[in-house]
Amino acid sequence: MDIKRSGSQPSTKGPAEYFTGNVRVDPLFQAGPAHARSAAVTFEPGARTAWHTHPLGQNLIVTAGVGRVQIEGGPMEEIRPGDVVWIPPGQRHWHGASPTTAMTHLAVQEQLNGKVVEWMEKVTDEQYAGGAARSR
C-alpha cells in the first residue's frame, strides 16, 4: 500500500506552452503497474488548456466552480460541480474555467505506450469567447 498524504506532492504551475492564464496542477496519482494518471487541476477565471487529445480518452470530474469544455466542431458546454465529462480517445478538445469563475476538476486518463496527451495549438480568445457556453 502507498498513501500519498495531502500536501506531500508539490503543486506545479500549468506550463504556458499548454495553458492560457493561471492554472495549478496538483498530482493525485501517476501510472504505476496500472496505466492511469490523475491530477486535480484548478483554472483561474478565463484560464484554459490548449487544444489536445488523449490516446485512450479522458474523464473530467468537476469538483468546484464553473467551467467550459468543447470538442472540436461541437458546442461549448458549461460544466459545474458533480458533472463528469468523458472525452473519447483521439478527440481534439479543450477545457477550462468560465470567464468570471474559477473551476477545479479531477482529470483521469490512461497512458498508451507511455503517452497520455498530445498538445496542439492554444485556444484563441475568439474561440474561447465563441458564443455563450450551453448550460445543462
Side-chain angles (χ1 to χ4, degrees):
M1 179 167 49
D2 180 21
I3 299 174
K4 301 285 188 212
R5 300 287 182 198
S6 179
S8 68
Q9 300 182 91
S11 299
T12 59
K13 183 172 172 57
E17 183 179 359
Y18 307 131
F19 296 91
T20 298
N22 292 320
V23 178
R24 186 183 79 234
V25 180
D26 292 296
L28 297 173
F29 57 87
Q30 302 299 313
H35 297 282
R37 288 187 180 183
S38 182
V41 185
T42 301
F43 299 83
E44 291 301 318
R48 57 199 180 264
T49 68
W51 288 101
H52 61 287
T53 63
H54 300 278
L56 295 176
Q58 179 181 51
N59 277 291
L60 303 175
I61 305 155
V62 183
T63 60
V66 179
R68 292 179 166 186
V69 62
Q70 184 175 27
I71 289 179
E72 186 174 46
M76 186 184 323
E77 298 283 350
E78 182 179 272
I79 51 177
R80 295 180 173 274
D83 290 349
V84 178
V85 180
W86 165 243
I87 310 290
Q91 186 68 60
R92 196 171 127 99
H93 68 287
W94 67 269
H95 36 99
S98 79
T100 59
T101 306
M103 186 268 296
T104 300
H105 65 49
L106 305 180
V108 182
Q109 54 277 323
E110 291 185 278
Q111 65 178 348
L112 179 64
N113 300 323
K115 189 170 191 173
V116 295
V117 62
E118 181 178 341
W119 291 105
M120 297 159 190
E121 75 277 8
K122 287 190 173 186
V123 172
T124 66
D125 290 342
E126 292 77 27
Q127 290 169 324
Y128 178 75
R134 190 167 69 179
S135 298
R136 53 183 176 142

